[in-house]
């Protein structure tokens, strides 16, 4: 992810952006894996995911896959609040950073 030719050609930038983006993505995944599908780990995961998306758009595909997994788990448990708890901070932080950078 950090040095793929198609990413370098489409999203040029410094390596620090790539490392930060990869770190925040891994943190978001780690909160869900270690904390399970509970409100507090999902909230923290959503915060990390929103920051990762605000840094670079290349994490949109992995975050979409992660959203699909959370939706499947929420559907099985019949707890749609899990999706909202994860998606709300992601959208708020990503929108804030996109607006700020614009």
């Amino acid at each position: 992810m950090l040095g793929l030719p198609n990413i370098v050609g489409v999203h040029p930038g410094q390596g620090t952006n790539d490392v930060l983006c990869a770190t925040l993505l891994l943190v978001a995944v780690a909160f869900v894996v270690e904390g399970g599908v509970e409100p507090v780990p999902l909230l923290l995961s959503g915060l990390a995911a929103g920051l990762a998306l605000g840094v670079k758009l290349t994490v949109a595909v992995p975050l979409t896959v992660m959203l699909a997994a959370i939706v499947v788990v929420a559907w099985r448990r019949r707890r749609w609040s899990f999706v909202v708890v994860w998606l709300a901070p992601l959208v708020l932080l990503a929108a804030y950073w996109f607006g700020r950078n614009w």
Side-chain angles (χ1 to χ4, degrees), residues 1-32:
M1 177 174 156
L2 300 177
L4 295 174
N6 58 349
I7 291 177
V8 172
V10 176
H11 293 281
Q14 299 176 352
T16 55
N17 288 347
D18 294 335
V19 172
L20 177 64
C21 189
T23 302
L24 288 169
L25 178 63
L26 290 175
V27 167
V29 171
F31 273 124
V32 172

Side-chain angles (χ1 to χ4, degrees), residues 51-89:
L51 287 173
L53 189 59
V55 170
K56 212 161 192 187
L57 281 175
T58 55
V59 296
V61 173
L63 290 179
T64 304
V65 172
M66 195 170 168
L67 174 64
I70 291 172
V71 165
V72 167
V73 171
W75 178 68
R76 286 185 178 174
R77 293 188 181 185
R78 309 230 191 289
R79 298 286 307 266
W80 292 106
S81 62
F82 291 159
V83 177
V84 174
V85 166
W86 186 75
L87 202 55

